[in-house]
Amino acid sequence: MYLQVFTLLFLVTSALGFISRGSIEKETNKWGTETSFCTYKGIKFLPGSSWKTTECMDCSCSEYGLYCQGFGYAAGVFGAPEGCKVVNDACQARVVDKEDELQDCAPPELQIVQD
């Protein structure tokens, strides 16, 4: 049973993070002042800004541009044992029963074969 629990934890925690990048943008206002910024979903952010989104992304804007990386549920691809699935619970990956998402998924019983 310990091996199955370890395998389940390994699958949930060993995901590769999703990464998104964007270039720095510049605009000049009517007085000739140039401003650098990053745009995320139509919102402009100044270099030095950082924020987390409800889509489980951790973003920052620097002088080099926009950088976003998924965290928690959006960190990458998760695997689940047979009869289970992974769902998003406030950016935390939660393993639940495939048929009843309100029930946590218990790993299948370990079958020990004795010689």
Side-chain angles (χ1 to χ4, degrees):
M1 179 164 148
Y2 293 110
L3 179 61
Q4 289 175 326
V5 171
F6 175 77
T7 302
L8 178 64
L9 290 173
F10 176 77
L11 289 171
V12 170
T13 59
S14 66
L16 300 173
F18 174 76
I19 298 174
S20 174
R21 297 179 187 261
S23 59
I24 195 79
E25 299 176 53
K26 296 181 184 220
E27 68 182 12
T28 304
N29 66 19
K30 63 183 174 184
W31 297 283
T33 305
E34 186 176 83
T35 303
S36 298
F37 60 92
C38 301
T39 302
Y40 181 83
K41 295 203 171 195
I43 301 171
K44 296 176 183 178
F45 293 91
L46 293 172
S49 301
S50 60
W51 62 97
K52 291 186 179 194
T53 73
T54 56
E55 294 92 15
C56 310
M57 298 296 285
D58 189 3
C59 299
S60 63
C61 177
S62 74
E63 62 191 53
Y64 303 107
L66 174 68
Y67 176 82
C68 293
Q69 180 172 351
F71 69 93
Y73 181 79
V77 178
F78 294 93
E82 188 174 324
C84 305
K85 68 179 180 178
V86 180
V87 296
N88 183 0
D89 183 12
C91 291
Q92 298 299 314
R94 184 179 196 118
V95 181
V96 297
D97 187 272
K98 198 176 232 178
E99 302 300 320
D100 182 1
E101 290 187 5
L102 297 178
Q103 297 295 317
D104 287 333
C105 190
E109 291 298 318
L110 180 63
Q111 296 179 358
I112 300 175
V113 177
Q114 296 180 353
D115 294 325

